[in-house]
Amino acid sequence: MSSLLIRGYEVVIGLETHVQLSTQSKIFSGASTQFGAAPNTQACAVDLALPGTLPVMNKGAVERAIEFGLSVGSHIAERSIFARKNYFYPDLPKGYQISQYETPVVQGGTVEFLVGDTLHKVNLTRAHLEEDAGKSLHEDYAGQTGIDLNRAGTPLLEIVTEPDMRSSVEAAEYAKTLHALVVWLGICDGNMQEGSFRCDANVSVRKPGAPYGTRREIKNLNSFKFLQQAIDCEIQWQIDLIEDGGTVHQATALFNPNGNGGRGETRAMRSKEEAHDYRYFPDPDLPPLVIAADWIERVRAEMPELPRAMAERFQREHGLPEYDALAVTQSKAHAAYFEAATAACKSPKLVANWMMGELARRLNAEGLEIESSPVAAAVLAQLISRIGDGTISNNGAKQVLELLWGAGQLREPPKSIDSSYVDKAIDDLGLKQLSDTGELDRLLDEVLASNAKSVEEYRAGKDKAFNALVGQAMKATKGKANPAQVTDLLKKKLG
Ligand code: ADP
Ligand code: MG
């Protein structure tokens, strides 16, 4: 927790994240959770809270919560309680939301991530199971509002952090790490546009050493960019207010990225409810959720290798630096790509470099996921092998990648070009390095003969003169010689 001051204030942030769990059916009913159906076609009697219906706990939702807890080192409560959170809103048919209050299923835990090259740890307070509400649709109704209850009863895991974060960048990195983790575990589809992963940011500021300031909570941030921007706006707003002699009042706010002349604005929606406003009490319709130790062990046994464990393994087995290991384990697809390419070319560090460099740049530029890279792992591996065996230079390889990328994109599916394309592309581009030593020998002799002055300077102890000779040699070979080979040969020739 590095404390970075903004206009003399320290920033304090805690995040609450709603993660939609990827079960087929809802948390307390058998209705489908599929996104995008016609309004109200997926709301059954339980979701509608018709009299006489009773909720039945979805085992899959509980298992996903357990998986999450195990992945961040939480305590899994042996016995947890569902409570009714009472409030009135048109999209909440029962008049209460079933949630967990005093005794949540997941308690404690830590999320670790890098910001730059510093390791940050954010402690979790809890993660609890709850049902989502429906949606109010303000569009397309000519001034009226429609209610769609398809989302009512969709399972959510709300993950709450301690107020441990000290900058908007740190909050965004935490959220990215959490997102990658739940997608990796397969407990959430991670689709932020569809609302499967939404963050509420609690923000306060204080003078260093002072007690925590009063927070405001910015609701429903569904992109990392908005999360960071909203926090930045809120920080400035709070500092302005305090510097003008005002006091921050606890409130719930919404972020409008277009407000304040395009600079973004956080605007209070309502003064913040206190817990007692919700009149929480245990839901008499649901028994306590009891999780036996052997159930936890069964879930643990089914879990995939976690990203951090995999990153550590890559450091150990392939000698990757920590930064690289974390980069190539940012998603399962990245890890699979890295492992496939490394198995094929046996150059893990080069694979990581290309994945973090050229490949990432090209994928980003075109908004592509690595799964649909026009250059598949086997093709990149072949390219890297051709650098390794001296056929092409690093720069040549970039040109080959350019050509392969274009060829790959013309194909259906894009990644179907095979690795033999690499050698063909090298030939087509005329990039093969001069590995015929006879030819190189002759060219180097010419270079030495026509640069007598540099040779003399070199012999007199001027290292710079040697670089000039290498430069001349590369020029004479039209860049096709391997610089390391040229250096070796020149040194030999000069004695
Ligand atoms: P509530 O249940 O009313 O939302 P909590 O005490 O559970 O309140 O806290 C919600 C979130 O707010 C947590 O993530 C917590 O870390 C964060 N938080 C609490 N106090 C502060 C503060 N002073 N500044 C920033 N965040 C805070
Ligand atoms: Mg809360």
PDB file of all heavy atoms in Angstrom, residues 333-334 336-337 340 359 363 368-380 404-419 421:
ATOM      1  N   ALA A 333      -6.310 -18.666 -21.838  1.00  0.00           N
ATOM      2  CA  ALA A 333      -5.959 -18.717 -23.255  1.00  0.00           C
ATOM      3  C   ALA A 333      -4.508 -18.267 -23.456  1.00  0.00           C
ATOM      4  O   ALA A 333      -3.775 -18.840 -24.262  1.00  0.00           O
ATOM      5  CB  ALA A 333      -6.908 -17.840 -24.062  1.00  0.00           C
ATOM      6  N   HIS A 334      -4.076 -17.247 -22.698  1.00  0.00           N
ATOM      7  CA  HIS A 334      -2.677 -16.831 -22.776  1.00  0.00           C
ATOM      8  C   HIS A 334      -1.756 -17.968 -22.348  1.00  0.00           C
ATOM      9  O   HIS A 334      -0.747 -18.240 -22.987  1.00  0.00           O
ATOM     10  CB  HIS A 334      -2.421 -15.610 -21.890  1.00  0.00           C
ATOM     11  CG  HIS A 334      -2.811 -14.312 -22.518  1.00  0.00           C
ATOM     12  ND1 HIS A 334      -4.096 -13.823 -22.443  1.00  0.00           N
ATOM     13  CD2 HIS A 334      -2.108 -13.402 -23.231  1.00  0.00           C
ATOM     14  CE1 HIS A 334      -4.162 -12.682 -23.094  1.00  0.00           C
ATOM     15  NE2 HIS A 334      -2.969 -12.387 -23.584  1.00  0.00           N
ATOM     16  N   ALA A 336      -2.313 -21.152 -22.324  1.00  0.00           N
ATOM     17  CA  ALA A 336      -2.316 -22.250 -23.295  1.00  0.00           C
ATOM     18  C   ALA A 336      -1.439 -21.888 -24.496  1.00  0.00           C
ATOM     19  O   ALA A 336      -0.674 -22.719 -25.009  1.00  0.00           O
ATOM     20  CB  ALA A 336      -3.740 -22.539 -23.751  1.00  0.00           C
ATOM     21  N   TYR A 337      -1.536 -20.636 -24.922  1.00  0.00           N
ATOM     22  CA  TYR A 337      -0.741 -20.155 -26.060  1.00  0.00           C
ATOM     23  C   TYR A 337       0.747 -20.248 -25.712  1.00  0.00           C
ATOM     24  O   TYR A 337       1.564 -20.759 -26.485  1.00  0.00           O
ATOM     25  CB  TYR A 337      -1.141 -18.717 -26.372  1.00  0.00           C
ATOM     26  CG  TYR A 337      -0.626 -18.178 -27.693  1.00  0.00           C
ATOM     27  CD1 TYR A 337      -1.476 -18.056 -28.794  1.00  0.00           C
ATOM     28  CD2 TYR A 337       0.702 -17.772 -27.846  1.00  0.00           C
ATOM     29  CE1 TYR A 337      -1.024 -17.551 -30.008  1.00  0.00           C
ATOM     30  CE2 TYR A 337       1.170 -17.268 -29.049  1.00  0.00           C
ATOM     31  CZ  TYR A 337       0.301 -17.156 -30.129  1.00  0.00           C
ATOM     32  OH  TYR A 337       0.755 -16.649 -31.328  1.00  0.00           O
ATOM     33  N   ALA A 340       1.924 -23.925 -25.533  1.00  0.00           N
ATOM     34  CA  ALA A 340       2.007 -24.567 -26.848  1.00  0.00           C
ATOM     35  C   ALA A 340       3.227 -24.051 -27.617  1.00  0.00           C
ATOM     36  O   ALA A 340       3.992 -24.831 -28.194  1.00  0.00           O
ATOM     37  CB  ALA A 340       0.725 -24.309 -27.640  1.00  0.00           C
ATOM     38  N   LEU A 359       2.917  -9.349 -30.495  1.00  0.00           N
ATOM     39  CA  LEU A 359       1.615 -10.022 -30.571  1.00  0.00           C
ATOM     40  C   LEU A 359       0.556  -9.205 -29.828  1.00  0.00           C
ATOM     41  O   LEU A 359      -0.518  -8.923 -30.373  1.00  0.00           O
ATOM     42  CB  LEU A 359       1.730 -11.434 -29.989  1.00  0.00           C
ATOM     43  CG  LEU A 359       0.508 -12.323 -30.180  1.00  0.00           C
ATOM     44  CD1 LEU A 359       0.342 -12.709 -31.638  1.00  0.00           C
ATOM     45  CD2 LEU A 359       0.614 -13.584 -29.320  1.00  0.00           C
ATOM     46  N   LEU A 363      -2.776  -7.548 -31.414  1.00  0.00           N
ATOM     47  CA  LEU A 363      -4.105  -7.967 -30.937  1.00  0.00           C
ATOM     48  C   LEU A 363      -4.877  -6.767 -30.406  1.00  0.00           C
ATOM     49  O   LEU A 363      -6.038  -6.555 -30.744  1.00  0.00           O
ATOM     50  CB  LEU A 363      -3.974  -9.044 -29.854  1.00  0.00           C
ATOM     51  CG  LEU A 363      -3.444 -10.410 -30.290  1.00  0.00           C
ATOM     52  CD1 LEU A 363      -3.171 -11.301 -29.072  1.00  0.00           C
ATOM     53  CD2 LEU A 363      -4.421 -11.120 -31.229  1.00  0.00           C
ATOM     54  N   LEU A 368      -8.637  -7.848 -30.777  1.00  0.00           N
ATOM     55  CA  LEU A 368      -8.792  -9.307 -30.840  1.00  0.00           C
ATOM     56  C   LEU A 368      -8.337  -9.949 -29.538  1.00  0.00           C
ATOM     57  O   LEU A 368      -7.435  -9.457 -28.875  1.00  0.00           O
ATOM     58  CB  LEU A 368      -7.933  -9.876 -31.980  1.00  0.00           C
ATOM     59  CG  LEU A 368      -8.350  -9.559 -33.410  1.00  0.00           C
ATOM     60  CD1 LEU A 368      -7.291 -10.064 -34.388  1.00  0.00           C
ATOM     61  CD2 LEU A 368      -9.706 -10.199 -33.703  1.00  0.00           C
ATOM     62  N   GLU A 369      -8.979 -11.056 -29.199  1.00  0.00           N
ATOM     63  CA  GLU A 369      -8.529 -11.876 -28.078  1.00  0.00           C
ATOM     64  C   GLU A 369      -7.451 -12.826 -28.605  1.00  0.00           C
ATOM     65  O   GLU A 369      -7.443 -13.164 -29.798  1.00  0.00           O
ATOM     66  CB  GLU A 369      -9.682 -12.698 -27.509  1.00  0.00           C
ATOM     67  CG  GLU A 369     -10.821 -11.874 -26.942  1.00  0.00           C
ATOM     68  CD  GLU A 369     -10.395 -11.029 -25.748  1.00  0.00           C
ATOM     69  OE1 GLU A 369      -9.527 -11.473 -24.976  1.00  0.00           O
ATOM     70  OE2 GLU A 369     -10.925  -9.912 -25.608  1.00  0.00           O
ATOM     71  N   ILE A 370      -6.605 -13.288 -27.708  1.00  0.00           N
ATOM     72  CA  ILE A 370      -5.522 -14.171 -28.142  1.00  0.00           C
ATOM     73  C   ILE A 370      -6.074 -15.481 -28.730  1.00  0.00           C
ATOM     74  O   ILE A 370      -5.465 -16.080 -29.615  1.00  0.00           O
ATOM     75  CB  ILE A 370      -4.523 -14.427 -26.990  1.00  0.00           C
ATOM     76  CG1 ILE A 370      -3.207 -14.967 -27.552  1.00  0.00           C
ATOM     77  CG2 ILE A 370      -5.105 -15.343 -25.916  1.00  0.00           C
ATOM     78  CD1 ILE A 370      -2.028 -14.852 -26.616  1.00  0.00           C
ATOM     79  N   GLU A 371      -7.259 -15.888 -28.275  1.00  0.00           N
ATOM     80  CA  GLU A 371      -7.896 -17.099 -28.813  1.00  0.00           C
ATOM     81  C   GLU A 371      -8.084 -17.003 -30.320  1.00  0.00           C
ATOM     82  O   GLU A 371      -8.090 -17.992 -31.021  1.00  0.00           O
ATOM     83  CB  GLU A 371      -9.293 -17.311 -28.212  1.00  0.00           C
ATOM     84  CG  GLU A 371      -9.330 -17.625 -26.747  1.00  0.00           C
ATOM     85  CD  GLU A 371      -9.444 -16.380 -25.883  1.00  0.00           C
ATOM     86  OE1 GLU A 371      -8.669 -15.415 -26.117  1.00  0.00           O
ATOM     87  OE2 GLU A 371     -10.285 -16.376 -24.974  1.00  0.00           O
ATOM     88  N   SER A 372      -8.307 -15.776 -30.811  1.00  0.00           N
ATOM     89  CA  SER A 372      -8.554 -15.654 -32.247  1.00  0.00           C
ATOM     90  C   SER A 372      -7.396 -14.942 -32.947  1.00  0.00           C
ATOM     91  O   SER A 372      -7.587 -14.244 -33.934  1.00  0.00           O
ATOM     92  CB  SER A 372      -9.889 -14.954 -32.500  1.00  0.00           C
ATOM     93  OG  SER A 372     -10.083 -13.918 -31.586  1.00  0.00           O
ATOM     94  N   SER A 373      -6.189 -15.136 -32.417  1.00  0.00           N
ATOM     95  CA  SER A 373      -5.021 -14.551 -33.054  1.00  0.00           C
ATOM     96  C   SER A 373      -4.833 -15.136 -34.460  1.00  0.00           C
ATOM     97  O   SER A 373      -4.856 -16.354 -34.627  1.00  0.00           O
ATOM     98  CB  SER A 373      -3.773 -14.848 -32.222  1.00  0.00           C
ATOM     99  OG  SER A 373      -2.620 -14.513 -32.974  1.00  0.00           O
ATOM    100  N   PRO A 374      -4.639 -14.280 -35.457  1.00  0.00           N
ATOM    101  CA  PRO A 374      -4.374 -14.791 -36.802  1.00  0.00           C
ATOM    102  C   PRO A 374      -3.069 -15.587 -36.861  1.00  0.00           C
ATOM    103  O   PRO A 374      -2.878 -16.384 -37.774  1.00  0.00           O
ATOM    104  CB  PRO A 374      -4.261 -13.524 -37.650  1.00  0.00           C
ATOM    105  CG  PRO A 374      -4.887 -12.447 -36.840  1.00  0.00           C
ATOM    106  CD  PRO A 374      -4.706 -12.821 -35.409  1.00  0.00           C
ATOM    107  N   VAL A 375      -2.190 -15.354 -35.908  1.00  0.00           N
ATOM    108  CA  VAL A 375      -0.953 -16.138 -35.838  1.00  0.00           C
ATOM    109  C   VAL A 375      -1.030 -17.030 -34.603  1.00  0.00           C
ATOM    110  O   VAL A 375      -0.989 -16.555 -33.466  1.00  0.00           O
ATOM    111  CB  VAL A 375       0.275 -15.203 -35.787  1.00  0.00           C
ATOM    112  CG1 VAL A 375       1.528 -15.978 -35.429  1.00  0.00           C
ATOM    113  CG2 VAL A 375       0.442 -14.511 -37.138  1.00  0.00           C
ATOM    114  N   ALA A 376      -1.212 -18.317 -34.858  1.00  0.00           N
ATOM    115  CA  ALA A 376      -1.385 -19.275 -33.764  1.00  0.00           C
ATOM    116  C   ALA A 376      -0.048 -19.578 -33.097  1.00  0.00           C
ATOM    117  O   ALA A 376       1.014 -19.226 -33.613  1.00  0.00           O
ATOM    118  CB  ALA A 376      -2.009 -20.555 -34.299  1.00  0.00           C
ATOM    119  N   ALA A 377      -0.113 -20.230 -31.949  1.00  0.00           N
ATOM    120  CA  ALA A 377       1.091 -20.523 -31.161  1.00  0.00           C
ATOM    121  C   ALA A 377       2.140 -21.285 -31.977  1.00  0.00           C
ATOM    122  O   ALA A 377       3.333 -20.968 -31.921  1.00  0.00           O
ATOM    123  CB  ALA A 377       0.702 -21.314 -29.914  1.00  0.00           C
ATOM    124  N   ALA A 378       1.707 -22.283 -32.750  1.00  0.00           N
ATOM    125  CA  ALA A 378       2.661 -23.094 -33.517  1.00  0.00           C
ATOM    126  C   ALA A 378       3.395 -22.242 -34.548  1.00  0.00           C
ATOM    127  O   ALA A 378       4.580 -22.464 -34.833  1.00  0.00           O
ATOM    128  CB  ALA A 378       1.927 -24.231 -34.214  1.00  0.00           C
ATOM    129  N   VAL A 379       2.702 -21.258 -35.098  1.00  0.00           N
ATOM    130  CA  VAL A 379       3.295 -20.400 -36.122  1.00  0.00           C
ATOM    131  C   VAL A 379       4.315 -19.452 -35.482  1.00  0.00           C
ATOM    132  O   VAL A 379       5.427 -19.277 -35.985  1.00  0.00           O
ATOM    133  CB  VAL A 379       2.189 -19.619 -36.863  1.00  0.00           C
ATOM    134  CG1 VAL A 379       2.791 -18.695 -37.906  1.00  0.00           C
ATOM    135  CG2 VAL A 379       1.191 -20.588 -37.495  1.00  0.00           C
ATOM    136  N   LEU A 380       3.929 -18.870 -34.349  1.00  0.00           N
ATOM    137  CA  LEU A 380       4.883 -18.005 -33.650  1.00  0.00           C
ATOM    138  C   LEU A 380       6.117 -18.811 -33.229  1.00  0.00           C
ATOM    139  O   LEU A 380       7.251 -18.332 -33.344  1.00  0.00           O
ATOM    140  CB  LEU A 380       4.227 -17.360 -32.418  1.00  0.00           C
ATOM    141  CG  LEU A 380       5.141 -16.386 -31.680  1.00  0.00           C
ATOM    142  CD1 LEU A 380       5.368 -15.114 -32.509  1.00  0.00           C
ATOM    143  CD2 LEU A 380       4.593 -16.010 -30.306  1.00  0.00           C
ATOM    144  N   LEU A 404       2.494 -12.773 -42.163  1.00  0.00           N
ATOM    145  CA  LEU A 404       1.683 -13.897 -41.674  1.00  0.00           C
ATOM    146  C   LEU A 404       0.372 -13.393 -41.105  1.00  0.00           C
ATOM    147  O   LEU A 404      -0.676 -13.995 -41.266  1.00  0.00           O
ATOM    148  CB  LEU A 404       2.442 -14.647 -40.569  1.00  0.00           C
ATOM    149  CG  LEU A 404       3.707 -15.374 -40.981  1.00  0.00           C
ATOM    150  CD1 LEU A 404       4.424 -15.909 -39.743  1.00  0.00           C
ATOM    151  CD2 LEU A 404       3.389 -16.514 -41.932  1.00  0.00           C
ATOM    152  N   TRP A 405       0.457 -12.267 -40.431  1.00  0.00           N
ATOM    153  CA  TRP A 405      -0.740 -11.685 -39.798  1.00  0.00           C
ATOM    154  C   TRP A 405      -1.798 -11.411 -40.864  1.00  0.00           C
ATOM    155  O   TRP A 405      -2.953 -11.797 -40.732  1.00  0.00           O
ATOM    156  CB  TRP A 405      -0.348 -10.399 -39.084  1.00  0.00           C
ATOM    157  CG  TRP A 405      -1.392  -9.902 -38.153  1.00  0.00           C
ATOM    158  CD1 TRP A 405      -2.420  -9.038 -38.433  1.00  0.00           C
ATOM    159  CD2 TRP A 405      -1.532 -10.237 -36.768  1.00  0.00           C
ATOM    160  NE1 TRP A 405      -3.172  -8.816 -37.313  1.00  0.00           N
ATOM    161  CE2 TRP A 405      -2.652  -9.540 -36.280  1.00  0.00           C
ATOM    162  CE3 TRP A 405      -0.818 -11.057 -35.897  1.00  0.00           C
ATOM    163  CZ2 TRP A 405      -3.076  -9.630 -34.951  1.00  0.00           C
ATOM    164  CZ3 TRP A 405      -1.240 -11.146 -34.585  1.00  0.00           C
ATOM    165  CH2 TRP A 405      -2.351 -10.443 -34.129  1.00  0.00           C
ATOM    166  N   GLY A 406      -1.331 -10.785 -41.935  1.00  0.00           N
ATOM    167  CA  GLY A 406      -2.253 -10.477 -43.030  1.00  0.00           C
ATOM    168  C   GLY A 406      -2.807 -11.756 -43.645  1.00  0.00           C
ATOM    169  O   GLY A 406      -4.016 -11.882 -43.845  1.00  0.00           O
ATOM    170  N   ALA A 407      -1.929 -12.724 -43.891  1.00  0.00           N
ATOM    171  CA  ALA A 407      -2.372 -13.984 -44.496  1.00  0.00           C
ATOM    172  C   ALA A 407      -3.358 -14.686 -43.572  1.00  0.00           C
ATOM    173  O   ALA A 407      -4.387 -15.193 -44.010  1.00  0.00           O
ATOM    174  CB  ALA A 407      -1.177 -14.893 -44.760  1.00  0.00           C
ATOM    175  N   GLY A 408      -3.050 -14.660 -42.278  1.00  0.00           N
ATOM    176  CA  GLY A 408      -3.918 -15.321 -41.301  1.00  0.00           C
ATOM    177  C   GLY A 408      -5.300 -14.698 -41.264  1.00  0.00           C
ATOM    178  O   GLY A 408      -6.305 -15.386 -41.140  1.00  0.00           O
ATOM    179  N   GLN A 409      -5.328 -13.384 -41.409  1.00  0.00           N
ATOM    180  CA  GLN A 409      -6.618 -12.707 -41.317  1.00  0.00           C
ATOM    181  C   GLN A 409      -7.512 -12.992 -42.516  1.00  0.00           C
ATOM    182  O   GLN A 409      -8.720 -12.841 -42.429  1.00  0.00           O
ATOM    183  CB  GLN A 409      -6.413 -11.208 -41.177  1.00  0.00           C
ATOM    184  CG  GLN A 409      -6.110 -10.844 -39.752  1.00  0.00           C
ATOM    185  CD  GLN A 409      -5.919  -9.370 -39.599  1.00  0.00           C
ATOM    186  OE1 GLN A 409      -5.161  -8.766 -40.337  1.00  0.00           O
ATOM    187  NE2 GLN A 409      -6.616  -8.781 -38.662  1.00  0.00           N
ATOM    188  N   LEU A 410      -6.875 -13.356 -43.642  1.00  0.00           N
ATOM    189  CA  LEU A 410      -7.673 -13.648 -44.833  1.00  0.00           C
ATOM    190  C   LEU A 410      -8.316 -15.028 -44.752  1.00  0.00           C
ATOM    191  O   LEU A 410      -9.173 -15.371 -45.526  1.00  0.00           O
ATOM    192  CB  LEU A 410      -6.791 -13.579 -46.084  1.00  0.00           C
ATOM    193  CG  LEU A 410      -6.261 -12.187 -46.392  1.00  0.00           C
ATOM    194  CD1 LEU A 410      -5.355 -12.223 -47.614  1.00  0.00           C
ATOM    195  CD2 LEU A 410      -7.415 -11.224 -46.628  1.00  0.00           C
ATOM    196  N   ARG A 411      -7.831 -15.806 -43.784  1.00  0.00           N
ATOM    197  CA  ARG A 411      -8.281 -17.196 -43.713  1.00  0.00           C
ATOM    198  C   ARG A 411      -9.484 -17.372 -42.812  1.00  0.00           C
ATOM    199  O   ARG A 411      -9.728 -16.597 -41.922  1.00  0.00           O
ATOM    200  CB  ARG A 411      -7.141 -18.050 -43.174  1.00  0.00           C
ATOM    201  CG  ARG A 411      -5.961 -17.991 -44.081  1.00  0.00           C
ATOM    202  CD  ARG A 411      -5.393 -19.321 -44.173  1.00  0.00           C
ATOM    203  NE  ARG A 411      -4.760 -19.487 -45.464  1.00  0.00           N
ATOM    204  CZ  ARG A 411      -4.380 -20.676 -45.903  1.00  0.00           C
ATOM    205  NH1 ARG A 411      -4.587 -21.743 -45.190  1.00  0.00           N
ATOM    206  NH2 ARG A 411      -3.802 -20.768 -47.067  1.00  0.00           N
ATOM    207  N   GLU A 412     -10.197 -18.433 -43.023  1.00  0.00           N
ATOM    208  CA  GLU A 412     -11.345 -18.787 -42.197  1.00  0.00           C
ATOM    209  C   GLU A 412     -11.187 -20.211 -41.695  1.00  0.00           C
ATOM    210  O   GLU A 412     -11.136 -21.116 -42.515  1.00  0.00           O
ATOM    211  CB  GLU A 412     -12.637 -18.696 -43.003  1.00  0.00           C
ATOM    212  CG  GLU A 412     -13.202 -17.309 -43.155  1.00  0.00           C
ATOM    213  CD  GLU A 412     -13.572 -16.630 -41.846  1.00  0.00           C
ATOM    214  OE1 GLU A 412     -13.898 -17.338 -40.872  1.00  0.00           O
ATOM    215  OE2 GLU A 412     -13.522 -15.401 -41.793  1.00  0.00           O
ATOM    216  N   PRO A 413     -11.104 -20.499 -40.426  1.00  0.00           N
ATOM    217  CA  PRO A 413     -10.929 -19.511 -39.376  1.00  0.00           C
ATOM    218  C   PRO A 413      -9.538 -18.911 -39.453  1.00  0.00           C
ATOM    219  O   PRO A 413      -8.648 -19.520 -40.045  1.00  0.00           O
ATOM    220  CB  PRO A 413     -11.102 -20.337 -38.100  1.00  0.00           C
ATOM    221  CG  PRO A 413     -10.699 -21.721 -38.482  1.00  0.00           C
ATOM    222  CD  PRO A 413     -11.092 -21.879 -39.920  1.00  0.00           C
ATOM    223  N   PRO A 414      -9.365 -17.733 -38.869  1.00  0.00           N
ATOM    224  CA  PRO A 414      -8.124 -16.995 -39.075  1.00  0.00           C
ATOM    225  C   PRO A 414      -6.867 -17.742 -38.670  1.00  0.00           C
ATOM    226  O   PRO A 414      -5.816 -17.504 -39.227  1.00  0.00           O
ATOM    227  CB  PRO A 414      -8.292 -15.757 -38.206  1.00  0.00           C
ATOM    228  CG  PRO A 414      -9.739 -15.652 -37.931  1.00  0.00           C
ATOM    229  CD  PRO A 414     -10.326 -17.019 -38.043  1.00  0.00           C
ATOM    230  N   LYS A 415      -6.971 -18.686 -37.691  1.00  0.00           N
ATOM    231  CA  LYS A 415      -5.700 -19.224 -37.232  1.00  0.00           C
ATOM    232  C   LYS A 415      -5.291 -20.514 -37.941  1.00  0.00           C
ATOM    233  O   LYS A 415      -4.483 -21.269 -37.453  1.00  0.00           O
ATOM    234  CB  LYS A 415      -5.683 -19.392 -35.732  1.00  0.00           C
ATOM    235  CG  LYS A 415      -6.720 -20.249 -35.114  1.00  0.00           C
ATOM    236  CD  LYS A 415      -6.426 -20.149 -33.633  1.00  0.00           C
ATOM    237  CE  LYS A 415      -7.428 -20.807 -32.737  1.00  0.00           C
ATOM    238  NZ  LYS A 415      -7.238 -20.355 -31.380  1.00  0.00           N
ATOM    239  N   SER A 416      -5.874 -20.726 -39.124  1.00  0.00           N
ATOM    240  CA  SER A 416      -5.583 -22.011 -39.759  1.00  0.00           C
ATOM    241  C   SER A 416      -4.298 -22.043 -40.585  1.00  0.00           C
ATOM    242  O   SER A 416      -3.970 -23.069 -41.155  1.00  0.00           O
ATOM    243  CB  SER A 416      -6.759 -22.442 -40.620  1.00  0.00           C
ATOM    244  OG  SER A 416      -6.908 -21.515 -41.666  1.00  0.00           O
ATOM    245  N   ILE A 417      -3.552 -20.936 -40.657  1.00  0.00           N
ATOM    246  CA  ILE A 417      -2.292 -21.046 -41.397  1.00  0.00           C
ATOM    247  C   ILE A 417      -1.362 -21.962 -40.621  1.00  0.00           C
ATOM    248  O   ILE A 417      -1.341 -21.959 -39.411  1.00  0.00           O
ATOM    249  CB  ILE A 417      -1.572 -19.694 -41.634  1.00  0.00           C
ATOM    250  CG1 ILE A 417      -1.320 -18.947 -40.343  1.00  0.00           C
ATOM    251  CG2 ILE A 417      -2.284 -18.845 -42.623  1.00  0.00           C
ATOM    252  CD1 ILE A 417      -0.435 -17.730 -40.569  1.00  0.00           C
ATOM    253  N   ASP A 418      -0.593 -22.771 -41.333  1.00  0.00           N
ATOM    254  CA  ASP A 418       0.268 -23.686 -40.581  1.00  0.00           C
ATOM    255  C   ASP A 418       1.697 -23.176 -40.600  1.00  0.00           C
ATOM    256  O   ASP A 418       2.034 -22.209 -41.289  1.00  0.00           O
ATOM    257  CB  ASP A 418       0.127 -25.122 -41.080  1.00  0.00           C
ATOM    258  CG  ASP A 418       0.673 -25.287 -42.459  1.00  0.00           C
ATOM    259  OD1 ASP A 418       1.909 -25.255 -42.600  1.00  0.00           O
ATOM    260  OD2 ASP A 418      -0.142 -25.417 -43.401  1.00  0.00           O
ATOM    261  N   SER A 419       2.538 -23.815 -39.807  1.00  0.00           N
ATOM    262  CA  SER A 419       3.853 -23.237 -39.552  1.00  0.00           C
ATOM    263  C   SER A 419       4.762 -23.275 -40.784  1.00  0.00           C
ATOM    264  O   SER A 419       5.756 -22.552 -40.838  1.00  0.00           O
ATOM    265  CB  SER A 419       4.506 -23.914 -38.354  1.00  0.00           C
ATOM    266  OG  SER A 419       4.380 -25.298 -38.474  1.00  0.00           O
ATOM    267  N   TYR A 421       4.147 -21.974 -43.425  1.00  0.00           N
ATOM    268  CA  TYR A 421       4.025 -20.638 -43.985  1.00  0.00           C
ATOM    269  C   TYR A 421       5.208 -19.750 -43.614  1.00  0.00           C
ATOM    270  O   TYR A 421       5.544 -18.809 -44.308  1.00  0.00           O
ATOM    271  CB  TYR A 421       2.752 -19.983 -43.443  1.00  0.00           C
ATOM    272  CG  TYR A 421       1.652 -19.883 -44.457  1.00  0.00           C
ATOM    273  CD1 TYR A 421       0.990 -21.020 -44.882  1.00  0.00           C
ATOM    274  CD2 TYR A 421       1.286 -18.651 -44.985  1.00  0.00           C
ATOM    275  CE1 TYR A 421      -0.018 -20.941 -45.807  1.00  0.00           C
ATOM    276  CE2 TYR A 421       0.277 -18.566 -45.916  1.00  0.00           C
ATOM    277  CZ  TYR A 421      -0.380 -19.718 -46.326  1.00  0.00           C
ATOM    278  OH  TYR A 421      -1.367 -19.634 -47.245  1.00  0.00           O
TER     279      TYR A 421
END
